[in-house]
Amino acid sequence: MNLSLQQFITESRNQASADIDTLSTLDMLTIINNEDKKVAIAVEAILPNIALAVDAIQHAFSIGGRLFYCGAGTSGRLGILDASECPPTFGSPAEQVVGLIAGGKPAILKAVENAEDNTQAGQQDLLNIKLNDKDIVVGIAASGRTPYVIGAMQYAKDLGCTVISLCCNNNSEMANIADVKLDVIVGPEVVTGSSRMKAGTAQKMVLNMLTTGSMIKNGKVFGNLMVDVQATNEKLIERQKKIIMEATECSREVAEIALKDSGNHCKTAIVMVLTGLDVNQAKNSLKQHQGFIRQCI
């Protein structure tokens, strides 16, 4: 394939950094920082489409669907990072949000040669996890044309899944496949073509919104407290106690007793304190109301 990179904004030269190799350290970092300031503005410009994506993901979760990120290189690693942080943060099943990367697990730590150019591998990775039409697939690539990602997205589209593209170029091949397109146009990188920089930052910001937004809409947050946090170490047990105290305005002693009685389930403990229900009644109430604390109280 004769690929011309000139057509991609992410591959164009940034005039602001044309002489960056001649500058002092502070001036160099100032240019990088000024370019980074543009990322949040670019994300802001597509908030309506991000909202559509969040609503689609929340709906998929509500019917038992899963969220799959597909990417290569930096994009793939960012998807894996976001997916891996959902269970400890939101108490979600590990299989609910999954990151797939071209080249598989070895590519998480080290580039795998030519992996991103394999269109068939994208489809095969989704076949391996038994993708179904309840699931959502988010293709991530700064360029918008990565063959591995396109293969995954096209297979998902043919299967009837909702498909989302996350790119940093306009009019991309990936966007043409997607039901919801998230084109975050951050402009040329400080180091030409180094899409681990502004493009990577933009992708991380959007992925944060996709999972955080959909988890909030699924009752995983009460106020702004992560009430489904999993306590896997002493620090997180202390965080659970603090969350119970802040959610209920109770004393530390009351929070500790409720947390112990609930089997270290923060959300159950909160309902117990706020309503006076015992542990079984609180658990049943949460189950009846799909885990939404506000509906229990």
Side-chain angles (χ1 to χ4, degrees), residues 148-258:
Y148 170 86
V149 180
I150 289 171
M153 291 176 65
Q154 190 60 63
Y155 172 69
K157 183 80 168 180
D158 293 344
L159 198 63
C161 300
T162 297
V163 176
I164 299 167
S165 64
L166 175 52
C167 310
C168 296
N169 284 293
N170 285 315
N171 304 315
S172 69
E173 189 174 350
M174 284 170 50
N176 289 336
I177 298 171
D179 299 296
V180 181
K181 65 176 185 177
L182 307 177
D183 294 342
V184 196
I185 310 304
V186 295
E189 300 287 4
V190 168
V191 176
T192 304
S194 182
S195 55
R196 58 180 283 274
M197 299 184 75
K198 286 193 297 182
T201 301
Q203 290 171 347
K204 180 67 169 72
M205 291 177 72
V206 173
L207 296 178
N208 283 347
M209 290 183 175
L210 295 184
T211 45
T212 303
S214 57
M215 292 295 179
I216 289 171
K217 291 176 71 68
N218 259 7
K220 298 291 187 178
V221 173
F222 178 55
N224 62 355
L225 301 172
M226 57 170 89
V227 290
D228 262 322
V229 62
Q230 292 183 353
T232 56
N233 57 46
E234 286 298 321
K235 181 190 78 173
L236 293 178
I237 291 173
E238 283 302 308
R239 180 175 290 169
Q240 283 189 322
K241 294 175 185 177
K242 184 172 182 288
I243 288 170
I244 295 167
M245 292 166 64
E246 291 183 347
T248 67
E249 299 183 352
C250 72
S251 67
R252 180 179 177 85
E253 181 182 6
V254 169
E256 288 177 340
I257 293 171

Side-chain angles (χ1 to χ4, degrees), residues 77-128:
R77 295 182 192 105
L78 288 170
I80 290 169
L81 174 64
D82 192 66
S84 67
E85 291 178 343
C86 287
T89 305
F90 300 113
S92 57
E95 64 274 10
Q96 188 174 45
V97 184
V98 177
L100 301 173
I101 186 170
K105 289 184 178 179
I108 298 173
L109 298 177
K110 185 178 180 181
V112 176
E113 189 175 357
N114 298 324
E116 72 172 57
D117 295 328
N118 190 336
T119 304
Q120 193 63 35
Q123 175 177 334
Q124 187 60 52
D125 282 352
L126 292 179
L127 278 166
N128 291 344

